Amino acid sequence: MGVLKRYGKYLPISEKTPAVNLEEGSTPLVRLDRIGGELGIELWAKLEGCNPSGSFKDRGMVLAFAKALEDGARAFVCASTGNTSASAAAYAAHVGAPCYVLLPSGKVALGKLAQALIYGARVIAVEGNFDRALEMAREASELKKIAIVNSVNPYRIISQKSGAWEICEALGQAPDLHVIPVGNAGNISAYWAGYRDFNVWGRVSALPKMIGIQAEGAAPLATGKPCPNPETVATAIRIGNPVGAKTAIEAVSQSDGFFETVTDREILDAQKMLASRAGIFAEPASCTTLAGLVKLAAANTAKKLPQGAKTVIILTGNGLKDPDTAISQVEPPVKIGGSLEELLEVMA
Ligand code: F0G
């Protein structure tokens, strides 16, 4: 029913707030028994790729757009590694407003670029990485007085909390472990705030440990060191200077969790594992979560990954957004002519 409708009572909206709705949220939470069994945990995956623009960004975008429109905004801007721009472009098209999106040139997955273009956003490819594009978007939004819909916009984080609320309602409790990719560090902050809300409101009695996963080549929070030249196959989280660093570090330390890194190889192996053993195709950034769990299980760190732990991984974006990376990892189709004999031979 859309995040503003489902959780309106928990959100800062009134009758004056436009009822923006692309039926975002209410995404599936799927139990993964085969993979969970191998890892010795009770594993659940939240399929955020089932949102209307194919990523979790829609949860936050709906409120950011509604509040900006309420305040009289006429145009929107964001910087993005791809998903924020796809989502912003979708909502801008839906409400009939212009939208400018700044992308790091040549570093955005094909599906995401296609989305921003077909939704009709003005797409600007910046020579530089995401961090630079975000600085430019922030300055332009002030100078041109247009609404910025990156996670520096507080409404984004407020309605992204809905992911945590949904998990608590589906499980009847918070999980033991919450495992999430960390890029600009907004989503981990939002989930922690969402779990804490439900705890304060008496809806759940315990809180999860927050485990933030970063790609080894873009891991400023996991290493505690700045990363001026981030690089990873998981382009969605190719970020060296996360805006949400402070709240993400707080989420991890307050929850007694931790950050972990995974290599590009581990990410791609996890992507294949998830697709071929659970039937779920998630984009590389999302697969950092499973890669992190596989790494922890292999290291046999029972303290970090206790047997039977109720564990939720957030699969933040749909695998179809980045077909090039997936195809580069698998065997090509078997080619045959038009004869049944050839087909039967292949099937033998
Ligand atoms: N997963 C995906 C698929 C993402 O697109 C992002 C961020 C993240 C994880 C990390 O979330 O930034 O809240 O820590 N994508 C942003 C974008 C940066 O521009 O689409 P975060």
Side-chain angles (χ1 to χ4, degrees):
M1 60 170 86
V3 168
L4 300 192
K5 223 176 195 169
R6 179 165 174 181
Y7 289 115
K9 59 180 186 276
Y10 299 149
L11 297 172
I13 56 175
S14 69
E15 326 74 70
K16 283 194 245 112
T17 314
V20 182
N21 180 17
L22 269 177
E23 300 294 337
E24 61 290 314
S26 302
T27 55
L29 183 66
V30 182
R31 190 166 162 155
L32 307 185
D33 280 333
R34 289 180 70 202
I35 298 177
E38 283 169 38
L39 299 175
I41 55 176
E42 182 188 312
L43 183 62
W44 297 81
K46 183 82 168 146
L47 305 195
E48 290 292 280
C50 294
N51 275 297
S53 82
S55 86
F56 72 95
K57 305 288 180 179
D58 298 340
R59 289 184 182 280
M61 212 54 81
V62 68
L63 184 65
F65 267 71
K67 294 303 285 185
L69 290 172
E70 184 179 345
D71 292 344
R74 312 281 291 266
F76 297 83
V77 65
C78 68
S80 181
T81 56
N83 281 324
T84 296
S85 58
S87 183
Y91 283 86
H94 194 67
V95 305
C99 182
Y100 301 91
V101 309
L102 280 69
L103 305 177
S105 183
K107 294 292 183 180
V108 170
L110 190 66
K112 302 175 189 180
L113 185 60
Q115 287 183 287
L117 292 166
I118 197 81
Y119 290 134
R122 188 71 185 272
V123 178
I124 303 148
V126 178
E127 273 311 328
N129 60 27
F130 168 83
D131 304 281
R132 175 64 193 138
L134 181 55
E135 284 169 8
M136 291 168 73
R138 292 177 86 159
E139 284 167 34
S141 89
E142 275 182 27
L143 290 172
K144 308 256 321 165
K145 303 261 173 283
I146 57 180
I148 187 160
V149 290
N150 281 102
S151 56
V152 294
N153 178 323
Y155 294 118
R156 279 273 313 277
I157 303 298
I158 293 173
S159 59
Q160 278 176 219
K161 294 195 292 184
S162 59
W165 302 337
E166 284 176 20
I167 290 170
C168 294
E169 288 182 345
L171 297 178
Q173 63 182 98
D176 302 317
L177 307 177
H178 176 96
V179 188
I180 185 164
V182 177
N184 212 22
N187 212 23
I188 189 172
S189 310
Y191 269 95
W192 178 237
Y195 286 122
R196 272 186 327 187
D197 284 345
F198 257 43
N199 186 237
V200 169
W201 300 335
R203 304 269 317 255
V204 296
S205 55
L207 290 166
K209 286 188 198 308
M210 302 297 287
I211 304 177
I213 315 284
Q214 296 204 291
E216 202 173 77
L221 297 181
T223 61
K225 288 189 218 115
C227 181
N229 297 304
E231 206 50 79
T232 168
V233 69
T235 50
I237 52 171
R238 186 176 167 271
I239 295 174
N241 184 21
V243 163
K246 186 170 166 282
T247 45
I249 291 166
E250 279 167 14
V252 161
S253 68
Q254 289 172 3
S255 71
D256 195 24
F258 52 92
F259 290 106
E260 183 61 85
T261 63
V262 289
T263 64
D264 280 1
R265 184 69 266 151
E266 289 166 336
I267 294 169
L268 294 171
D269 287 348
Q271 184 182 40
K272 221 179 200 174
M273 181 181 193
L274 195 58
S276 64
R277 284 198 235 157
I280 295 170
F281 184 21
E283 69 167 279
S286 306
C287 299
T288 58
T289 55
L290 180 58
L293 290 175
V294 169
K295 183 176 175 181
L296 292 173
N300 224 344
T301 43
K303 206 167 145 262
K304 286 187 163 175
L305 193 63
Q307 274 288 318
K310 196 185 279 289
T311 305
V312 173
I313 55 175
I314 306 301
L315 299 180
T316 45
N318 198 301
L320 293 169
K321 284 172 171 280
D322 189 357
D324 299 316
T325 300
I327 283 182
S328 72
Q329 297 303 309
V330 291
E331 294 293 320
V334 181
K335 277 205 174 129
I336 60 169
S339 77
L340 186 61
E341 286 73 24
E342 285 170 282
L343 173 61
L344 294 177
E345 203 169 299
V346 173
M347 295 171 80

